[in-house]
Amino acid sequence: MGRIAQTDGLTDIQADILAAVRTFVDKEILPNAGDLERKDEYPEEIINAMKDMGLFGITIPEEYGGLGESLLTYALVVEEIARGWMSVSGVINTHFIVAYLVAQHGSEEQKARLLPKMATGDVRGAFSMSEPGCGSDVAAITTRATRDGDDYVINGQKMWLTNGARSSVVATLVKTDEGADSVYKNMTTFLLEKEPGFGTSGGISIPGKLEKLGYKGVETTEMILDGHRVPASSILGGADQAGRGFYQMMDGVEVGRVNVAARACGIMIRAFELGIAYAQQRRTFGHQIADHQAIAFKLAEMATKVEAGHLMMVNAARKKDSGQRNDVEAGMAKYLASEYCFEVTTESFRIHGGYGYSKEYEIERLYREAPFMLIGEGTSEVQKRIISRALLKDYRLNG
């Protein structure tokens, strides 16, 4: 990959994992991504190979059959995979967040039952907060779980579930009534278990795939809950964790934002690679276009943005791995990496000229995928709100 986006201070195990993933991306993902993307076809063979490599359990503790690696290791793996095809990274993204939530907040029974099968990829996870009427405004969710004896009955509609069909467990945030004065203390996360596939079963409906501009191959769905009955033990962490859902999910979102930053870095690394290669192949006025200062300066700016996004992503991952809260660092990394991803991809698209508009060229796919990074796990405006609130708290004037 040349000089850009390298990471110092990795262990031998981390370096070996990344080398294996990079080889896998170059041999198995990049040669097949274009055809699969155009067909909007699920990358079954690629996913099965990732299962065999242990990537579905990369952060799951070894005692549950995973590799027990850090958030940093995971983020660097995701960066490599997104460099090959962002949709493939999406398959393990929400799975990773759910596995993290179960490992951090689940009951001992939930950990023992779910994590070993999640580590192998036989049980896939999906993550659900958004609804048709709300995205960033989590407090506005209307899906509700009503207590009925020892059970809860859930009604509502959730939106934008990656892995919605192929998942077996969906971490789902809903409203409950805990009698608290804050709306954020009247939210509960349920681990909703279902059979993989589209259709209706037991009050859960996964109607079909949502059509999208990019992010093809991996299914994105809605989920309709109509009188779905679950025991109180389905609450993440057990029945006594009712009302803790918002705080649990925000913990998951912090690692999710590092993940999206990593995916954005992967896309812009590839966009840079394509841009600098094309600039040395295309000739105008007797010279390769890389010799023209206008293009050379673009390449310099693009490489600098790739490095900046990568380093901020690594910093946010390392802070979370140290046991500290990283909401500001994750927000900064997600904001910067996603904005730079869009800018770098756009510049590479422009370097390609008319060929960038052709589906025969890979940059066309990246140009459709990059905008999703601006939205996933909170828009840039949401990240700015998180960052500014923390800054105003830290730098508050006395008097």
Side-chain angles (χ1 to χ4, degrees):
M1 293 201 306
R3 298 173 56 88
I4 63 170
Q6 302 300 304
T7 304
D8 297 326
L10 299 180
T11 66
D12 289 343
I13 292 175
Q14 288 174 318
D16 288 345
I17 290 172
L18 289 178
V21 172
R22 186 174 301 127
T23 299
F24 174 71
V25 167
D26 288 340
K27 290 185 176 181
E28 304 297 334
I29 298 182
L30 280 171
N32 297 303
D35 187 51
L36 290 169
E37 201 270 348
R38 282 189 290 273
K39 294 177 180 176
D40 197 6
E41 182 178 326
Y42 189 80
E44 198 74 57
E45 291 185 10
I46 291 172
I47 298 306
N48 287 336
M50 289 168 59
K51 287 172 63 177
D52 293 340
M53 294 172 70
L55 296 184
F56 280 88
I58 192 167
T59 61
I60 292 175
E62 292 182 58
E63 64 186 290
Y64 297 109
L67 299 180
E69 277 294 324
S70 64
L71 175 60
L72 175 62
T73 307
Y74 176 81
L76 294 174
V77 165
V78 165
E79 183 180 62
E80 292 287 351
I81 293 173
R83 172 180 159 265
W85 184 16
M86 191 270 286
S87 291
V88 176
S89 69
V91 173
I92 60 171
N93 172 33
T94 51
H95 174 86
F96 153 72
I97 296 175
V98 177
Y100 172 84
L101 287 173
V102 174
Q104 292 294 117
H105 303 287
S107 66
E108 292 304 316
E109 184 276 333
Q110 289 167 346
K111 293 177 188 178
R113 181 167 52 82
L114 294 173
L115 289 179
K117 292 182 179 179
M118 295 186 79
T120 62
D122 294 325
V123 166
R124 310 273 180 85
F127 180 82
S128 179
M129 289 198 302
S130 295
E131 297 185 0
C134 70
S136 300
D137 184 9
V138 179
I141 65 173
T142 59
T143 299
R144 178 170 292 276
T146 304
R147 191 69 185 251
D148 184 17
D150 294 331
D151 297 338
Y152 283 85
V153 178
I154 308 178
N155 291 281
Q157 184 178 6
K158 308 300 282 188
M159 200 70 175
W160 308 120
L161 278 73
T162 302
N163 290 336
R166 283 175 170 81
S167 60
S168 301
V169 57
V170 185
T172 308
L173 186 66
V174 304
K175 288 278 182 68
T176 50
D177 185 7
E178 310 309 321
D181 54 0
S182 168
V183 65
Y184 298 105
K185 295 180 180 179
N186 284 296
M187 296 185 188
T188 299
T189 299
F190 284 86
L191 298 175
L192 303 183
E193 298 181 51
K194 66 178 185 65
E195 289 297 319
F198 295 101
T200 301
S201 178
I204 295 181
S205 296
I206 307 293
K209 287 200 305 185
L210 299 169
E211 296 298 325
K212 309 180 295 293
L213 170 70
Y215 201 16
K216 304 284 188 176
V218 55
E219 81 268 5
T220 304
T221 75
E222 60 183 320
M223 178 173 68
I224 300 169
L225 299 158
D226 184 10
H228 181 57
R229 180 178 291 270
V230 293
S233 59
S234 295
I235 293 172
L236 177 62
D240 61 349
Q241 293 300 300
R244 294 288 305 164
F246 175 80
Y247 305 100
Q248 293 168 339
M249 289 296 236
M250 289 304 103
D251 186 25
V253 166
E254 283 184 18
V255 296
R257 285 177 178 150
V258 174
N259 175 285
V260 173
R263 295 165 78 185
C265 288
I267 293 173
M268 64 174 158
I269 288 170
R270 186 59 181 166
F272 172 79
E273 290 175 347
L274 295 172
I276 198 168
Y278 186 81
Q280 294 172 84
Q281 296 163 4
R282 179 71 168 172
R283 299 183 68 83
T284 61
F285 307 105
H287 298 276
Q288 61 181 22
I289 63 173
D291 292 335
H292 299 303
Q293 189 180 74
I295 301 300
F297 280 13
K298 279 185 189 293
L299 295 172
E301 292 168 0
M302 290 161 67
T304 302
K305 289 175 179 179
V306 169
E307 284 289 346
H310 172 80
L311 291 172
M312 289 202 73
M313 178 271 290
V314 168
N315 177 62
R318 282 182 163 150
K319 184 161 187 181
K320 189 73 171 179
D321 283 334
S322 72
Q324 302 178 70
R325 186 174 179 180
N326 77 334
D327 55 335
V328 173
E329 289 76 11
M332 287 180 169
K334 194 276 172 184
Y335 163 57
L336 192 80
S338 63
E339 292 287 348
Y340 278 177
C341 173
F342 185 74
E343 293 171 15
V344 168
T345 305
T346 300
E347 291 297 350
S348 183
F349 175 83
R350 294 173 73 173
I351 287 171
H352 280 76
Y355 287 107
Y357 210 63
S358 169
K359 287 186 177 292
E360 293 182 17
Y361 281 71
E362 189 180 342
I363 190 61
E364 184 271 343
R365 169 171 61 81
L366 300 182
Y367 190 65
R368 287 184 287 106
E369 290 176 342
F372 179 68
M373 299 295 97
L374 298 169
I375 301 167
E377 305 297 0
T379 62
S380 292
E381 290 71 26
V382 168
Q383 311 310 321
K384 291 176 187 177
R385 186 179 182 188
I386 293 168
I387 296 163
S388 62
R389 279 181 173 178
L391 292 175
L392 290 170
K393 182 179 179 181
D394 289 345
Y395 289 88
R396 188 175 301 279
L397 296 177
N398 294 323

